[in-house]
Every structure is written in structure tokens, then in C-alpha cells.
Amino acid sequence: MSVSVHTRKTNKKNSPLEPLLMPQVPRSNYLHLQEEKQRLQLRKFLLHRIFLVAKITANTEKKDIAEYYEQVFQSILKRHLGEAVTGLLLVYPTSILHILESSSGSLYQILLDYLNHEKDEAEFFIQGMKIIVMSHNIPTRLFMQWQVSAIKAPVMHLDDVTQSQSLEEVITEFLIQTHKLALHLFKIVKVGAKGPGNNLHKIAPELLLPEQIIKYLCNSEEFMDPETFINIYNKPVHVTLDSEVVWPAPSRF
């Protein structure tokens, strides 16, 4: 007995529901991208860098400023475990240049502590602080630890650039020089070492900014002070929808 087998011709035309049944390519967003980047870098928090300048009272010692900030850092580590603060503090005769790297919460606490001292004490030894720039979500640290250096020897320059250059040119020179100095220290200072100490004027005199630039930036009204920054930081973000500003107000059933 012969059995005839009839093969059914399959319809090659795609079914209308086929695109809906096909596996969809997962879509990502910017938040997922940042979270994945953080996971790959094994970091617990986003890293930020802030550049600060300030004036100091007469006869202020480097030791007093260093001890103050070390106490602030220790207090922060108790609440923000693992969020170490690294950077560089240059103590000039009448001003300071401070570069800090840490999480946004740690940097916020540093500014808040300074602001509390400025309000509570009649004459705090750090005055007139200005935030020059704050870089968010930087890929890596420029400083492996926090270092302090006193600039006692005068930095010789032929002319006062603050008199002949615009603010944009001065701030450009400021950022270029500070980054060059940071990269230089990154190469010569080993992890765990005390750093160059007070010999920066001998190690890299050409990379040191003159104090006249630091004082010029302290007096510039274009830069934000810590109080203004903290007020903006704490201010809630309100988004006004178009439906909230039309008249008459929309009625809800």
C-alpha cells in the first residue's frame, strides 16, 4: 500500500503579528549608561573636583589650616565611609589655593563646615572663599592623597597679568597652570609619601601661580561664594507644567 504524503506549502508572507512577537532590542538611557560605567569602574560614588581660593588672616600658619581640614575630613569619613578626600592645598602668605576631589556629599560638607565657622566666629582665619570651578563626574583622580604645601618663597613674574588680561584669560591661565602642576605631582609623588612639602618653589617654580592671581580671583564678583552655592544646592527643583499656568484652571472630574 502506498501512502501519499502531501506537503503543505508554507506561506512565506509574514504574519501581521510577527513583528510584535519578535524579540525586541533592549533600549537603554543615560542613567543606565552612567550606572554601568560606575559598575565597571568599581566606584561607589560619582567623583567631583572643586577649585577654591580664599584669603587668610595675617600670621596664619600652615599647620593651623592643615589641622582644620584634617579634622573636617575625619568627621566626613565617619558619615561617608569610603569617600576619601584627595587634593592639594597651597598656602600663600595671605591666601590659599585649594583643589579637592571627592563625592558631592563630602564636598558639600566641607563647604558647609567653612560657612558655619565663618558665621559663628568673629574672625575665622579663612575668609572670602570663592568657588572657581566644579567639575562633575570626573573619570579619575589627579591626586592620590591630600597634600599641603606652603609657598613662602616669592614667585617671580615680570608683570601683573591681572592688569593686562581679561578675566577669561586669567581664569584660563589659572586652570592650565593648576592642571599642569597636578599632573607633575601625580608623576613624582608616590602613594603614601608626604609629598613635596614646602619645596614646590624649588621643584616646579614655573608651575606655581603668583599670589596676585589668587587674590584677584578672590575679589572677583563673577565667582560664587559657598553660601550662594549651598543655597542653590538645597533649593528644591520645581517644574511648572503648562497646565498650571493656563486660565481658567483645568477642572478635575
Side-chain angles (χ1 to χ4, degrees), residues 2 5 8 11 21 41 44 55 63 76 81 97 106-107 129 131 135 153 171 181 190 202 218 228 240:
S2 62
V5 178
R8 181 180 297 176
N11 188 6
L21 300 177
Q41 294 179 354
K44 297 181 180 179
K55 301 175 184 178
K63 179 182 178 182
I76 291 174
L81 186 63
L97 164 60
S106 296
L107 297 179
M129 182 178 289
I131 301 173
S135 303
I171 192 61
L181 178 61
K190 297 181 180 179
K202 297 180 180 179
C218 289
T228 304
T240 303

Side-chain angles (χ1 to χ4, degrees), residues 22 50 64 83 133 135 137 143 146 176 221:
M22 293 291 291
I50 191 170
D64 298 332
E83 300 183 13
V133 66
S135 303
N137 194 19
F143 304 94
W146 187 70
I176 291 175
E221 298 180 355

Side-chain angles (χ1 to χ4, degrees), residues 158-189:
L158 296 178
D159 56 352
D160 186 356
V161 297
T162 62
Q163 301 296 326
S164 58
Q165 295 181 352
S166 64
L167 177 61
E168 289 77 11
E169 293 172 331
V170 173
I171 192 61
T172 299
E173 180 180 354
F174 169 85
L175 294 175
I176 291 175
Q177 288 295 99
T178 51
H179 277 84
K180 286 183 178 179
L181 178 61
L183 291 175
H184 181 73
L185 294 177
F186 181 81
K187 295 177 182 178
I188 66 173
V189 177

